[in-house]
Amino acid sequence: MTQMLSSSFMKRLTRFSLTTKQSIISGHKGEHRSRKHGTSLEFSDFRQYHLGDDLRQIDWNTYARTNKYYIKRFTDEKELFVTLFLDTTRSMFIVEKKWEQVKKLAASLAFLTLNHNDRFRILTGEEQYSKVRSFYKGKSLINRVNHEISDIEVDDKASYFADTLHKVVKTSNMYQGISVVVSDFLEPVEPLFETLKQLQTRKQQVLLVQVLLSEEQAPNLTGDLKLVDVEISTSKDVSMSRTVLELYDKKFSEHEQAIKTFARNRGMAFISCLANEAIEEVIIHKLAGTGFLK
Amino acid sequence: MGFLLPVAFGLLGLLSILIVFYLFKKKFERKVISSTYLWEQIMKEWETNRWNKKLNQNLLLFLQILIMVAIILALTRPFINSEDIISSEQVVIVLDTSASMAVMEEEVTRLELAKEQIKQLVQQLNKNQTVTIVNAKSKPELLLTNESNQHQIITSIDDIQLSYEVDNLVDSMKLANSLIHQQSAEIHLYSDQVEKKDLETLPIKHNLVVHNIGESKQNFSIRSFGVKLSGNLVKGVVTIFNEGDKEKSVTVQIKSEDKLLQEVKETLPPNKLKVIEVNDLTFETVYEVRINEKDAYLFDNNSYAFLVNDETPTIYAAGEVNPFIIKAVQSLGSEVVTVKGDDFPKDVSAGISILSNVPATDWPNGAKLVISPTVGGPFKIQDKKELKYVLSRKDDPMLSYVDTDNLYLAKSYPIDALNGLQPLITSGDEVVVAKGKYKKNPIVLFSFDVEDSDWPLHPSFPVLLNNVLNYLKPANAYLGRFLPGETIDITYSPTTTSAYIDVSDGSKVNNVNTKIPLQVPLQPGLYELHEKTETGLKSRYFSVEVADREKTAFSSESFSITVKDQQIESNTAGSIEIWYWVAFFALFILFIEWEVYRRGISGR
């Protein structure tokens, strides 16, 4: 665990937690304040006593002041279900650094969640073939999760992440909570958007995290190249030139813009980071900017 | 099947360029990237880029159209007709190689200039055109007939030499006309003095271009030269013509072999003939007159002359010559002049003397036939004695055809001292007839009295006399003055084995075939004909000089005569075909098109 995240970073992470804008309605008792009135210790509001209410909930101080019977209501503390969807297509493993970043992200999110006594699980796509992954809860399982993260392997059979995600979402139980989708999003976005919309209907707060290599964002290619897609093995002969590279920049920003627009329109959060960016930077600044970090 | 243009196979070398193109074809390096999603989108947009596509499309189309047009044009085999090009199928060249073409123009002779011009003309002909060359000598000579091989033509032209003869243009032109078989032909005449009026007599059926080479030059020429014996001295007369506008001063030398006899300085008025008399020349065999100054035409600046010898010299009979002898000599055609024994006229040396009973002291100069010699004298003649033996003879040209077998001689005068004479007929030890030289003059000695023999009764009598006279005649040292290349009949001596000619300064020697008539050398000058005979080497001079008509350096303007009827429209023989260039152009455009196409493909 210490290999993935530095101890200093983890110390800083303890001060933060994932939060959702949406109030959690269901679930067991956790540490998230829910709109429901529950049995936490935090004061929420007063309600007039009605016949049948629990007598123990009457606030006697208020009676003393107003000579009317009011019930003190407390916010309920509920647990947050955080599902992490990881893109394990070959493009994520093309350079080691990229997957390292993904692992760090996963570890950070795992730490944030489990440290706050929330539930956390990782879904990659292998579920359709073998394991079934379930939610983890509790600080003690951080290590286990980390192991699990480092054990994740590339999915050779997958071509587009959208397909895998779709299958995974279809076959999984979704509990109201946060779904974090980590991918490089370098593929046709429409099918992905469909699945993301589906996630939202399944009561998920969606956070999109894009992990890119610097050469994916701004390729520094020269000469005449036969570009081969690592996932789908199609090739494209391109003669590099300044015009071509400028065109790539344009296309890339259009692509990014499309994703951002989609996310904004649907109330999803979107952050993008480079594989060589410091994880602290990503979590503490970029994630914080989304509102998912408290 | 064959190939008209096999050299085009060399273009196969261009195949290598094509292969090189493909070797250097754009090689796409393989690169594995995360996703080609964006790249696909890029290239889609790249290709839909209007600018690129339109240009490529149109450019390719344009280039391909150009190639088509060029190939079609090449197939039509276009040609150009130009003014300078000779368009006739047959070209006849008549070249004047007469002596006047030896005039120097700057550094080269007119003939050389003509040859250069002819070569230039020939080089612009193509393989469909044939060349015929006629050498306009006094008897026209055909050098080439209908030859189209350039190399052959050039070699033949280079071989043409000056003939120094008189040009015979009329006959050459007739020959040229007869050689023309094609419809389209033209005649080119290269000479120096041809005027339009000279050709009026000829029927001109084809285009004629007359090239008169050279420019008129200042020239003085010796028109005639002769020497005559007058008394004991020789007189010479020279006529010189000054061809030119300016008066010229010249030095005229009379020489004999390398000896300068006389020299005079004369001024020659322009365009006039001047007669110069030179007196008091010594008696020589050959005389040469020479103008020292050089002009453009050197061959008429010297001339040779010989003292004229009568064919039959006068015979002087002195003493009591037997009337039979006189009769026989007269029947041989010679004139006999009877002279008193001691009273000889001065010019006896020019003739032959027959002396009978004349003492040696009274002997005149010149060739002599001495009969019945007096006792004593240089040969130590003795008194007459009877002969005991039959006559025997030596083989000698003088005794040819003379039958001595039946000759009867009773007595003879014995000769004690032959003094270098050659015995011809002997009787035992006694010499009866001898020949040789006495005091540098030929002498034949009949050491007997004619009355003592029966010789006049023999048919060989006049024959022997003739032989003797021939022997005694002052050697006809002069054969004559001939034109260059003239063929003459020489009577060689019967015992001549071989003969040769050498130039008088001893530089060149040409062997001569004695069986055929002699052809005189072409170059003007003084020559000697030597005959190797049994009795030794016999030499005779002769000179070769250019004809009077050629002794001019005048030159006319070139002109051309076109025949009105001969207007051949589609005269394709001499045109330049330009389809080669068009085809090459098409090939070049094809290369460009390939390159553009290749770039187009690779761009995708």
Side-chain angles (χ1 to χ4, degrees):
Chain A
M1 187 180 108
T2 46
Q3 288 146 353
M4 257 183 281
L5 301 172
S6 62
S7 42
S8 58
F9 178 53
M10 278 195 290
K11 253 205 212 147
R12 288 174 76 187
L13 275 181
T14 51
R15 290 193 281 122
F16 296 100
S17 67
L18 284 174
T19 183
T20 173
K21 300 175 200 119
Q22 180 190 59
S23 62
I24 298 169
I25 336 165
S26 67
H28 295 196
K29 181 174 165 57
E31 285 183 27
H32 293 272
R33 218 193 289 172
S34 137
R35 262 191 301 130
K36 262 173 136 181
H37 296 281
T39 50
S40 74
L41 292 167
E42 255 182 85
F43 175 69
S44 171
D45 60 351
F46 286 111
R47 182 168 69 86
Q48 239 183 354
Y49 175 79
H50 291 298
L51 214 61
D53 284 337
D54 197 357
L55 282 168
R56 288 174 291 179
Q57 285 178 338
I58 296 172
D59 185 17
W60 295 111
N61 283 339
T62 315
Y63 178 67
R65 273 188 273 136
T66 60
N67 220 18
K68 285 193 184 135
Y69 295 102
Y70 287 100
I71 293 178
K72 205 179 189 178
R73 286 206 290 189
F74 295 94
T75 57
D76 206 355
E77 283 185 336
K78 287 290 174 220
E79 53 189 13
L80 192 60
F81 286 91
V82 176
T83 313
L84 184 59
F85 292 96
L86 289 183
D87 180 355
T88 48
T89 56
R90 278 187 287 262
S91 62
M92 302 302 287
F93 290 84
I94 195 168
V95 171
E96 209 185 298
K97 243 207 296 201
K98 198 169 176 185
W99 188 247
E100 285 291 323
Q101 187 77 328
V102 171
K103 283 199 279 185
K104 282 187 197 163
L105 275 166
S108 315
L109 288 168
F111 186 82
L112 281 168
T113 316
L114 294 173
N115 210 29
H116 205 250
N117 264 329
D118 286 323
R119 291 195 188 258
F120 181 80
R121 75 167 168 185
I122 300 177
L123 296 177
T124 57
E126 287 169 23
E127 289 74 32
Q128 43 184 317
Y129 309 114
S130 53
K131 299 193 283 190
V132 173
R133 292 226 185 85
S134 48
F135 281 101
Y136 293 106
K137 188 178 166 85
K139 286 197 197 113
S140 52
L141 290 174
I142 289 175
N143 246 342
R144 178 109 169 260
V145 168
N146 282 334
H147 279 303
E148 196 180 298
I149 291 170
S150 40
D151 284 344
I152 296 175
E153 280 167 7
V154 63
D155 186 0
D156 283 321
K157 297 189 198 100
S159 53
Y160 284 134
F161 175 56
D163 299 330
T164 332
L165 188 65
H166 176 77
K167 285 196 191 104
V168 168
V169 167
K170 213 162 80 167
T171 55
S172 308
N173 295 332
M174 286 283 131
Y175 298 100
Q176 185 191 20
I178 298 175
S179 284
V180 183
V181 180
V182 178
S183 172
D184 53 10
F185 295 105
L186 291 176
E187 56 181 62
V189 284
E190 283 309 310
L192 198 61
F193 289 171
E194 285 306 309
T195 316
L196 292 174
K197 280 190 234 174
Q198 274 183 5
L199 269 180
Q200 278 193 319
T201 58
R202 305 277 287 273
K203 298 187 209 150
Q204 301 294 309
Q205 281 269 291
V206 180
L207 163 65
L208 303 170
V209 180
Q210 186 182 41
V211 179
L212 288 171
L213 291 169
S214 51
E215 51 259 36
E216 283 162 359
Q217 191 180 64
N220 196 15
L221 303 168
T222 51
D224 305 321
L225 301 169
K226 193 185 203 50
L227 303 171
V228 180
D229 190 319
V230 67
E231 292 167 3
I232 52 177
S233 302
T234 53
S235 63
K236 192 90 191 117
D237 291 333
V238 180
S239 302
M240 295 298 159
S241 66
R242 205 162 52 93
T243 337
V244 171
L245 291 175
E246 278 169 15
L247 213 53
Y248 182 89
D249 288 336
K250 186 171 134 207
K251 280 282 161 224
F252 183 77
S253 40
E254 274 174 22
H255 179 77
E256 294 284 286
Q257 200 54 44
I259 303 173
K260 281 183 194 159
T261 314
F262 170 78
R264 189 176 54 243
N265 286 344
R266 303 206 66 94
M268 298 182 201
F270 172 77
I271 57 168
S272 175
C273 71
L274 290 176
N276 52 7
E277 262 178 60
I279 190 68
E280 293 91 328
E281 175 69 33
V282 178
I283 300 289
I284 295 170
H285 291 116
K286 285 195 176 153
L287 191 57
T290 58
F292 274 95
L293 201 66
K294 192 177 68 163
Chain B
M1 181 187 117
F3 299 100
L4 276 178
L5 191 67
V7 74
F9 274 126
L11 289 175
L12 278 176
L14 291 173
L15 271 181
S16 59
I17 298 180
L18 189 62
I19 294 168
V20 164
F21 268 170
Y22 272 91
L23 283 177
F24 285 123
K25 198 167 95 144
K26 277 197 190 181
K27 286 195 195 109
F28 289 101
E29 249 181 74
R30 214 183 129 88
K31 184 155 178 76
V32 178
I33 57 166
S34 320
S35 174
T36 51
Y37 169 64
L38 287 175
W39 290 107
E40 303 255 344
Q41 295 205 315
I42 288 168
M43 292 331 271
K44 250 188 248 161
E45 188 165 318
W46 179 268
E47 270 156 41
T48 57
N49 191 338
R50 273 192 296 154
W51 167 86
N52 234 344
K53 212 177 187 186
K54 238 192 188 174
L55 174 73
N56 263 352
Q57 251 183 359
N58 284 348
L59 185 65
L60 275 180
L61 181 66
F62 170 68
L63 284 177
Q64 281 167 349
I65 288 175
L66 199 61
I67 291 171
M68 270 299 251
V69 168
I71 290 176
I72 291 169
L73 193 62
L75 281 173
T76 59
R77 286 186 49 162
F79 63 90
I80 305 175
N81 260 328
S82 146
E83 288 281 312
D84 295 335
I85 293 171
I86 297 179
S87 54
S88 313
E89 285 169 359
Q90 187 177 23
V91 180
V92 182
I93 296 172
V94 179
L95 179 57
D96 177 1
T97 51
S98 65
S100 59
M101 296 296 276
V103 173
M104 302 293 278
E105 299 283 336
E106 313 286 318
E107 301 293 318
V108 291
T109 60
R110 280 181 188 166
L111 186 69
E112 289 297 319
L113 280 179
K115 277 159 72 171
E116 278 307 311
Q117 286 188 10
I118 295 174
K119 277 199 265 191
Q120 274 174 11
L121 184 140
V122 163
Q123 265 155 6
Q124 45 167 288
L125 299 177
N126 64 28
K127 55 177 166 47
N128 290 333
Q129 299 171 293
T130 64
V131 174
T132 306
I133 304 183
V134 175
N135 188 343
K137 300 207 279 201
S138 44
K139 197 157 156 233
E141 187 186 330
L142 191 57
L143 294 174
L144 270 184
T145 335
N146 282 341
E147 185 65 55
S148 45
N149 182 334
Q150 285 268 337
H151 183 68
Q152 277 282 72
I153 298 170
I154 302 288
T155 328
S156 310
I157 293 171
D158 281 333
D159 288 342
I160 298 174
Q161 300 293 335
L162 278 167
S163 66
Y164 300 103
E165 297 176 8
V166 172
D167 51 34
N168 188 349
L169 290 175
V170 173
D171 283 343
S172 305
M173 289 299 292
K174 283 192 190 152
L175 177 64
N177 269 324
S178 69
L179 289 169
I180 292 174
H181 311 296
Q182 322 286 79
Q183 250 301 83
S184 75
E186 54 190 68
I187 305 177
H188 287 259
L189 174 59
Y190 289 86
S191 178
D192 51 3
Q193 298 148 23
V194 177
E195 308 262 337
K196 259 192 180 153
K197 53 178 165 54
D198 299 334
L199 302 169
E200 263 165 17
T201 53
L202 289 171
I204 296 182
K205 286 179 262 171
H206 306 273
N207 286 347
L208 169 68
V209 179
V210 176
H211 306 262
N212 278 323
I213 312 284
E215 293 160 359
S216 300
K217 295 268 187 292
Q218 183 76 271
N219 177 36
F220 30 79
S221 61
I222 295 175
R223 286 298 161 92
S224 68
F225 174 45
V227 288
K228 188 169 148 54
L229 191 61
S230 113
N232 255 348
L233 292 168
V234 177
K235 190 160 107 166
V237 173
V238 186
T239 53
I240 304 182
F241 184 68
N242 179 4
E243 191 179 19
D245 312 331
K246 300 191 209 139
E247 202 179 65
K248 275 252 170 221
S249 293
V250 291
T251 317
V252 180
Q253 290 181 332
I254 311 272
K255 292 162 78 164
S256 172
E257 279 174 12
D258 286 324
K259 201 164 66 173
L260 177 63
L261 299 174
Q262 269 202 38
E263 190 174 300
V264 287
K265 279 206 177 19
E266 295 280 341
T267 42
L268 307 171
N271 270 324
K272 278 228 174 87
L273 189 69
K274 176 118 190 217
V275 178
I276 303 171
E277 282 183 20
V278 182
N279 292 328
D280 300 333
L281 295 167
T282 53
F283 183 79
E284 302 287 343
T285 38
V286 58
Y287 297 90
E288 180 191 347
V289 65
R290 168 189 291 277
I291 301 178
N292 258 1
E293 284 75 11
K294 287 207 186 319
D295 61 5
Y297 190 26
L298 293 172
F299 293 112
D300 57 0
N301 289 5
N302 59 0
S303 185
Y304 299 92
F306 304 83
L307 282 179
V308 176
N309 287 309
D310 281 335
E311 275 300 311
T312 46
T314 324
I315 314 284
Y316 300 95
E320 294 141 18
V321 184
N322 194 307
F324 279 122
I325 291 179
I326 295 179
K327 270 277 169 1
V329 169
Q330 275 175 338
S331 74
L332 290 171
S334 301
E335 196 194 316
V336 179
V337 175
T338 327
V339 197
K340 275 246 215 104
D342 47 0
D343 184 17
F344 285 100
K346 282 226 174 64
D347 51 357
V348 142
S349 53
I352 302 174
S353 327
I354 303 181
L355 309 161
S356 178
N357 264 323
V358 174
T361 47
D362 288 340
W363 285 355
N365 242 346
K368 298 174 271 289
L369 168 61
V370 177
I371 315 172
S372 315
T374 52
V375 174
F379 301 105
K380 299 209 173 48
I381 308 290
Q382 307 297 321
D383 275 327
K384 234 194 320 199
K385 235 170 62 178
E386 280 215 13
L387 289 175
K388 296 185 205 101
Y389 297 96
V390 171
L391 293 172
S392 63
R393 52 182 277 172
K394 303 265 189 288
D395 253 335
D396 192 81
M398 210 168 83
L399 295 180
S400 46
Y401 307 112
V402 176
D403 185 12
T404 54
D405 289 341
N406 294 325
L407 208 58
Y408 172 71
L409 188 59
K411 298 188 193 137
S412 77
Y413 297 96
I415 305 171
D416 263 356
L418 264 180
N419 273 347
L421 290 186
Q422 235 183 313
L424 295 179
I425 302 178
T426 53
S427 165
D429 288 329
E430 295 299 337
V431 177
V432 171
V433 174
K435 77 168 187 196
K437 273 206 167 32
Y438 172 68
K439 284 196 187 161
K440 284 205 182 154
N441 285 315
I443 184 170
V444 174
L445 184 59
F446 281 11
S447 192
F448 57 90
D449 290 330
V450 179
E451 298 84 15
D452 290 330
S453 76
D454 70 343
W455 195 26
L457 303 172
H458 286 267
S460 58
F461 180 60
V463 177
L464 178 58
L465 276 177
N466 186 40
N467 289 351
V468 168
L469 287 179
N470 269 340
Y471 176 75
L472 289 175
K473 239 192 310 198
N476 202 355
Y478 169 57
L479 274 176
R481 182 188 283 156
F482 304 106
L483 294 173
E486 213 179 309
T487 318
I488 47 173
D489 243 333
I490 302 272
T491 45
Y492 295 101
S493 154
T495 55
T496 304
T497 50
S498 67
Y500 63 93
I501 297 173
D502 72 13
V503 187
S504 62
D505 56 2
S507 56
K508 255 192 338 191
V509 177
N510 291 337
N511 273 332
V512 162
N513 185 350
T514 54
K515 295 194 198 355
I516 57 170
L518 176 69
Q519 191 178 32
V520 162
L522 290 175
Q523 262 215 315
L526 180 67
Y527 297 91
E528 237 181 301
L529 172 68
H530 302 278
E531 292 172 60
K532 281 206 187 104
T533 66
E534 284 178 19
T535 49
L537 200 65
K538 204 162 125 168
S539 308
R540 284 181 284 184
Y541 285 107
F542 65 94
S543 69
V544 176
E545 283 177 24
V546 295
D548 285 344
R549 196 149 75 75
E550 288 293 324
K551 287 183 182 172
T552 164
F554 174 67
S555 159
S556 310
E557 289 288 317
S558 303
F559 61 92
S560 79
I561 302 171
T562 48
V563 176
K564 283 206 185 58
D565 296 338
Q566 198 182 15
Q567 259 149 26
I568 294 158
E569 274 127 27
S570 60
N571 212 342
T572 56
S575 334
I576 302 177
E577 294 205 44
I578 55 170
W579 72 273
Y580 302 128
W581 303 109
V582 184
F584 278 129
F585 177 65
L587 202 62
F588 180 65
I589 298 293
L590 189 68
F591 285 143
I592 297 178
E593 194 245 349
W594 283 343
E595 184 57 29
V596 169
Y597 187 61
R598 189 174 68 86
R599 278 189 201 275
I601 291 181
S602 61
R604 263 179 252 144

